[in-house]
Amino acid sequence: MDALEIRGSFDDSWGGEHTITQTTWVTGGSSFAISQFDNDEQFIIAQNGEDNAYNPGLWSRFDWASVDGALWYCQTAYAAESEEAALATEAADATNPSDGGCGGFSWTQLTTTAE
């Protein structure tokens, strides 16, 4: 099995913290169990944690992009009814992530947490 390319601890542009492992994405009191990912297509499919405040047990798709050395992500789907529905969600537009392409909003920038 390939290693997920974006594993690590990150801060986001909104003051949030993210921990991404091979199997989970945890942020702001929410957890997402990663069921599959594709490093070439730059997406993650994950089931929302049962204890999440929003859309517990449903499915999410996270797209990521590296643009000019910066890492960005967009939670393209957050309440898909199934893993298949999350996978079928159209990828976000990474053309200019600081200005848009994520469901009418900008993407969120992630920076590696200082050790």
Side-chain angles (χ1 to χ4, degrees), residues 1-112:
M1 176 181 209
D2 291 337
L4 176 62
E5 287 181 357
I6 62 166
R7 294 168 303 166
S9 296
F10 304 92
D11 293 324
D12 69 29
S13 47
W14 307 104
E17 297 177 351
H18 301 256
T19 301
I20 304 169
T21 70
Q22 188 75 11
T23 58
T24 59
W25 186 317
V26 177
T27 182
S30 294
S31 66
F32 303 88
I34 298 171
S35 64
Q36 59 180 296
F37 61 87
D38 188 313
N39 288 324
D40 293 330
E41 297 294 322
Q42 298 183 307
F43 70 81
I44 290 170
I45 304 298
Q47 187 169 25
N48 304 353
E50 292 295 336
D51 294 330
N52 289 8
Y54 300 100
N55 307 304
L58 296 179
W59 290 84
S60 291
R61 176 187 172 118
F62 297 89
D63 290 302
W64 80 83
S66 294
V67 178
D68 296 329
L71 177 62
W72 301 83
Y73 86 92
C74 175
Q75 189 174 0
T76 317
Y78 50 86
E81 291 292 328
S82 67
E83 181 179 21
E84 294 77 17
L87 184 60
T89 301
E90 186 176 346
D93 179 0
T95 303
N96 192 353
S98 63
D99 288 336
C102 183
F105 299 95
S106 64
W107 292 46
T108 301
Q109 187 174 3
L110 294 176
T111 54
T112 304

